Amino acid sequence: MISFENDYNTGAHPQILARLAETNLEPLTGYGADHFCESAKNKIREACGCPDAEVEFLVGGTQTNAAVISTMLKDYEGVIAADTGHVNVHEAGAIEYTGHKVLALPQKEGKLSAADLSSYIAGFYADETYEHMVFPGMVYISHPTEYGTLYTKAELEALAEVCRSRSIPLFLDGARLGYGLMSRHTDVTLQDIARLCDVFYIGGTKVGALCGEAVVFTKQNRPPHFINSIKKRGALLAKGRLLGIQFDTLFTDNLYFEISRHAINMAEGLKKVLEGRQIEFYLKSPTNQQFVILENERISELKKDVMFSFWEKYDENHTVIRFVTSWATAEEDLAALDRALEEYSS
Amino acid sequence: MISFENDYNTGAHPQILARLAETNLEPLTGYGADHFCESAKNKIREACGCPDAEVEFLVGGTQTNAAVISTMLKDYEGVIAADTGHVNVHEAGAIEYTGHKVLALPQKEGKLSAADLSSYIAGFYADETYEHMVFPGMVYISHPTEYGTLYTKAELEALAEVCRSRSIPLFLDGARLGYGLMSRHTDVTLQDIARLCDVFYIGGTKVGALCGEAVVFTKQNRPPHFINSIKKRGALLAKGRLLGIQFDTLFTDNLYFEISRHAINMAEGLKKVLEGRQIEFYLKSPTNQQFVILENERISELKKDVMFSFWEKYDENHTVIRFVTSWATAEEDLAALDRALEEYSS
Amino acid sequence: MISFENDYNTGAHPQILARLAETNLEPLTGYGADHFCESAKNKIREACGCPDAEVEFLVGGTQTNAAVISTMLKDYEGVIAADTGHVNVHEAGAIEYTGHKVLALPQKEGKLSAADLSSYIAGFYADETYEHMVFPGMVYISHPTEYGTLYTKAELEALAEVCRSRSIPLFLDGARLGYGLMSRHTDVTLQDIARLCDVFYIGGTKVGALCGEAVVFTKQNRPPHFINSIKKRGALLAKGRLLGIQFDTLFTDNLYFEISRHAINMAEGLKKVLEGRQIEFYLKSPTNQQFVILENERISELKKDVMFSFWEKYDENHTVIRFVTSWATAEEDLAALDRALEEYSS
Amino acid sequence: MISFENDYNTGAHPQILARLAETNLEPLTGYGADHFCESAKNKIREACGCPDAEVEFLVGGTQTNAAVISTMLKDYEGVIAADTGHVNVHEAGAIEYTGHKVLALPQKEGKLSAADLSSYIAGFYADETYEHMVFPGMVYISHPTEYGTLYTKAELEALAEVCRSRSIPLFLDGARLGYGLMSRHTDVTLQDIARLCDVFYIGGTKVGALCGEAVVFTKQNRPPHFINSIKKRGALLAKGRLLGIQFDTLFTDNLYFEISRHAINMAEGLKKVLEGRQIEFYLKSPTNQQFVILENERISELKKDVMFSFWEKYDENHTVIRFVTSWATAEEDLAALDRALEEYSS
């Protein structure tokens, strides 16, 4: 069975596994205080062009979002997000569990606009009763978004400008950051992100690691005793080496970027396959997630051979489904998909 | 440098790494819905002699304690624990973070007695103002305890009886469960634990895994939609395979028990080495943690060659330190420790 | 200065003050265990036609909403509310503070429709990823709504039917319930509400009391040890008599209904005054809140003599403002408003 | 029936009721933004000798403790309290509900010593694993304590000195502050408290008000947007006038102090009555709570005529009970108690 179900459906990039095996018996202090974590942090600082960045490793995305947001918000604040944002929809209320509201704004293809943001905040302070409302205390964006779309550099700058003018941090969820950076249709670099965001994370889980996300605080703004706050949230890994070794490997010899580029190449191939079979696109993204509209019957047939994700109902007879490539997608997978689509197209 | 610092200072048992590598490219559905997780759960059910047990995998111990306790307690309840219990001391307030109080009781060598428990609960309900106090809603014990000590079967039965008579669950933290089960000085089996506890977890992190704890609900009492509650707490691993494959390996051909037995053998050897060097014991435990009293000067010397943990100040000139063995401890480590102790003893 | 600012801008109905004075020196047990509370509960049960109802008194509305919602929701659930609902907008995130999400749905004039509700819940369960989303666990409506509008009996029945079919409770926020029940344009009685809702509260603060809301659990569904949960939330009043005496007075000789009817009569008079002065209505409600559109300049003038509330910006030159009547509004206030409007109309 | 059950068993001081009645129909803006609140705050500032103090009114003690502690603690901190402290025992876990641990220390007659406090904090930072433990972030004391005892000025100064040296705030729970200040056995003034504490509250509920506590932030340290945080906790009273008018009355013409002195006079009389009847004291306090040991049979008889509180079991045949005086206790009550004790003594 070939799988385009998501970008976390296989294990880890083989170099990561090799490195885990090589270093396996070296005794190391726990909780991230080992030299692999230190090395990985330095490589990330360098890649970000931000020598003073404070880097911390966490295990997964929802955990990272909740830990970052809840430690950076003040008691009276909530976090602004697109209504389609992962924190607003697919994290089981993890932000609210920390006692803070997600302030959901409308979006376009998963993206928040600086104009809407600015207008929302202005409206908040114009309301005479605002002391009884949740203060906008942070802006959360995902890049790539949940729809695989990307902010342009100009869009990011505009969002950052609104945040700066209101003195609230801009937080970028980079669960799939590699795929965004290696897109053929982006002018945003990792350095741009480090410059424009107050905090962001570089996703490992969806980009070749077994698990792990690297949070980067770019403005000397890591919450005090962040390790304690992570521990308090059940998010501190005893064998911190597992995260350090993985990120050290990913940020050695550009591995993170190369495997991301591979996924993008596969995604471009995927788009060609889908176009070649006259599949209607719901959203043709510049990254590794592609959304198409299929007849329900065809879906039933196709899923005998191919794993993919249901996205949402389109109409009575059609459904939006998602195909995703990753570092592990092979040319053969594309060819097999092409054959499967041929079979069920007639 | 040899290390007796703790039982999570190396990577994973080599069979686990091998298994991760073998299965690496098999595409699998995420979040624990894969066949490795299913297989691991079945093996654990069998090992527990509890075919109906509900098994869930989480990443680490603090996370597991917080998730289990906060989903099983009612709004008006807290959890009873020994005042030395991990949840009361070394989890950064993770239980309180979920809105529940830890009701700390006195202990002896880390163990809670059924008599103290029974008397505490009776006293609670005898107090006319109890509606204004935190109700005892669960009992948390660790086995082995934080001091490496073990409950006898009779002691566990007595605790379970108090819990049953008050209709509150007994939860056993088995972060080091393997070392407890393979101790030469225990009459408690895994089946006993499954029978006597309402919920417990089998520690992976400290017993040969990279990470992972297996929670076992023994009485058809898994909280409803537990997956959602785990996700809400940021504790749901996307690549659930990482946990499934590890526990499947640990529970194949008794690996979990054999590597635990090895650590116990090493601990017995460790005790002999320490005794042979006339080191005074603070607490000679039946499991893999040993606590001794050393002169501060000797500690300064010893730590040039050996990694170990400071436990607590003993008096002005002495400190309690902890030596720990694990699945990865080798005979050579014991010999090297012996030589190091010889060197600094004169 | 005359005031139409809100319905909590004066003290308490004089009969309440008199009763507090009469009973002042009678020593009573605290925390609601006094005979006035018991008597008030019985009168409320009778007025609701629900002899088995469990009644509890709390101090204010936000507190009541948070206590009821957070004790009735399960860990994995959130509360559905109109996006204009008080819990979603004007309670400073009090629901999220308890760890639960408000699931905001679109509304019309503050009202949630059964069709939208039904469709939302159906959509939730149709989504393959729903285990990662916040479960709909309760429906919150306000009656009158924040816009002074009212559900019809048929609308309430339809909402209740959806809730029943999904086994989730229907909670009605009756902060201004008296004004809803005494409206000239309603077919909903207190008995209907008790029959259709699983829990609701009868507002005291906005209907003649110094403070206090009476929560009515209609289906033997009061959360266990609710007093403890209230205490835990800082919501248990030591001198419970203050609530008991007030509600006992309000539910003696129909006082609650009569003072509500008076406010409605004043609201009908208010509408006539506003119409007579050709003021444009933004929303002409059947209860005690009326929303009109005024030129900004005229507002500046008017507020020299009259207190009212700014609601929202209408356009560059106009603002929506709110006039509210209460049990304390007098005919003279209407006459004075009429004169003030005359003065600033030319 | 005469009552010595507690100091909140009657209504409010008659001058308060009179003032509520006089001001009843004056329309006022809600939520504490009225001139009575402002006037009360000024009078409190003056009484405290602290013209810059920030004063806020809340409804009850548990609510006040939770609001103050949870807004002043940082994420990684807990609050130190005597193990008998109200926040640790009788508030249903309200502090833990806010996500923070109460760090309970031993006490003597309800009082925390500076030596124990200092030693605890020193020990915390000496522990190598302190990043995994809850940081001491605030010190909570009650004055009078739950046992009616009082800190001396020297003791308060010593506690304040430890707090200052560790940069953590000292918070004094003054639920019964009036009775402490008017004790015949104290050298502590309200000005001393304002000088030594970073925040404290002046109790109204137990000192003549229907409800209400006045929090005083003495060091320009009120948490930002505190009104929002209060609202978020369901603790913001709509009719803030109820609190403002009460405290304005209490702090006019020394009423607060005079009614407290009356209670102390009654308590001294009470002690004489109890001594005269050869009742054994468990703890003879310098304030308005007295604890005595009675035979269980005598208790059964006595409670037919007198209301008092059970405190704790003393031995099989004896119980500690509490008698409390208040502003409302009359000479006749003492005489009646004396007669009742005579009757049941033979």
Side-chain angles (χ1 to χ4, degrees), chain A residues 74-91:
Chain A
K74 300 194 187 73
D75 185 72
Y76 50 92
E77 294 176 339
V79 61
I80 293 174
D83 58 25
T84 54
H86 209 255
V87 292
N88 194 44
V89 183
H90 278 111
E91 301 191 352

Side-chain angles (χ1 to χ4, degrees), chain C residues 6-258:
Chain C
N6 56 48
D7 34 21
Y8 46 92
N9 59 357
T10 53
H13 190 275
Q15 289 188 33
I16 285 179
L17 291 187
R19 197 81 182 287
L20 287 174
E22 280 164 37
T23 60
N24 193 45
L25 291 179
E26 181 178 345
L28 292 173
T29 291
Y31 304 110
D34 62 82
H35 67 90
F36 293 110
C37 285
E38 198 44 46
S39 167
K41 290 178 183 184
N42 282 331
K43 289 174 183 170
I44 287 171
R45 285 183 193 107
E46 192 176 358
C48 292
C50 189
D52 293 335
E54 296 161 311
V55 183
E56 299 290 346
F57 301 115
L58 284 102
V59 175
T62 295
Q63 181 181 91
T64 300
N65 287 332
V68 168
I69 291 170
S70 66
T71 53
M72 294 189 76
L73 286 182
K74 300 194 186 73
D75 185 73
Y76 50 92
E77 294 177 338
V79 61
I80 293 174
D83 58 25
T84 53
H86 209 253
V87 292
N88 193 45
V89 183
H90 278 111
E91 300 190 351
I95 304 306
E96 291 82 2
Y97 186 63
T98 73
H100 294 280
K101 193 177 185 73
V102 177
L103 302 162
L105 296 196
Q107 41 69 46
K108 211 176 145 190
E109 296 189 346
K111 291 162 63 180
L112 208 58
S113 80
D116 285 351
L117 175 64
S118 178
S119 147
Y120 176 81
I121 301 178
F124 174 85
Y125 286 105
D127 189 319
E128 297 212 331
T129 63
Y130 74 81
E131 275 288 355
H132 290 201
M133 295 161 63
V134 176
F135 281 63
M138 185 182 225
V139 174
Y140 164 96
I141 56 173
S142 39
H143 180 89
T145 69
E146 294 71 18
Y147 287 94
T149 54
L150 291 171
Y151 289 89
T152 64
K153 194 192 292 193
E155 287 169 341
L156 275 188
E157 282 171 341
L159 287 169
E161 178 50 34
V162 176
C163 287
R164 208 160 295 140
S165 74
R166 294 294 184 172
S167 301
I168 60 177
L170 176 60
F171 171 37
L172 183 148
D173 174 337
R176 295 186 166 98
L177 189 55
Y179 306 129
L181 294 171
M182 291 299 106
S183 169
R184 298 175 187 176
H185 311 283
T186 186
D187 59 349
V188 175
T189 65
L190 182 55
Q191 291 84 344
D192 291 330
I193 287 172
R195 177 173 53 86
L196 295 170
C197 296
D198 298 278
V199 55
F200 67 99
Y201 78 86
I202 301 171
T205 301
K206 290 170 177 164
V207 192
L210 287 167
C211 60
E213 322 295 322
V215 185
V216 184
F217 297 95
T218 61
K219 310 279 186 271
Q220 295 287 302
N221 56 341
R222 179 179 51 188
H225 299 293
F226 191 61
I227 286 297
N228 184 284
S229 293
I230 290 178
K231 179 78 177 166
K232 181 173 181 172
R233 284 153 181 79
L236 186 61
L237 201 60
K239 295 188 178 174
R241 67 194 298 147
L242 174 58
L243 303 175
I245 292 166
Q246 291 189 97
F247 273 98
D248 194 57
T249 306
L250 286 169
F251 280 83
T252 298
D253 296 338
N254 284 318
L255 182 64
Y256 188 76
F257 303 98
E258 287 187 7

